[in-house]
Amino acid sequence: MGPLTRVADATIRGYQRYLSPRKGWNCAHLVAHGGRSCSAEVRRIIAARGVLGGAVPTAVRLFACYQAAALLARTDVQGVCCCGGIPIPFRF
């Protein structure tokens, strides 16, 4: 892992540990589709491909998250059950 990749990984890890728990909501892509949060997926991409090689897949993932947020904003779903997209009465 190169120095730029290590810096990016440490930055994402810091975001996951200190900022993400305090922002008050979950990743829209995670809520809409399940799987990994965007920060976890971008961290995996960067570890596998490096910062430059992971730039396009990272942009694709963040655009997909943007689309998921727009999708969730158009619905009255306020959360999802662990079993999938079943509406439940709470917000993240």
Side-chain angles (χ1 to χ4, degrees):
M1 191 182 290
L4 187 57
T5 303
R6 281 195 303 271
V7 168
D9 185 65
T11 302
I12 295 168
R13 195 172 57 244
Y15 164 79
Q16 289 174 324
R17 184 169 182 186
Y18 298 110
L19 295 177
S20 184
R22 291 167 177 79
K23 68 183 182 189
W25 66 88
N26 282 354
C27 167
H29 193 276
L30 171 67
V31 171
H33 304 293
R36 296 177 181 218
S37 67
C38 286
S39 61
E41 184 62 18
V42 169
R43 191 170 174 208
R44 185 197 65 76
I45 290 168
I46 289 174
R49 299 181 179 206
V51 173
L52 295 178
V56 171
T58 295
V60 168
R61 176 59 182 239
L62 295 178
F63 182 70
C65 191
Y66 170 78
Q67 289 179 319
L71 172 75
L72 292 172
R74 290 190 306 263
T75 67
D76 60 350
V77 175
Q78 296 179 335
V80 294
C81 173
C82 62
C83 303
I86 302 168
I88 52 177
F90 66 87
R91 286 186 89 53
F92 289 99

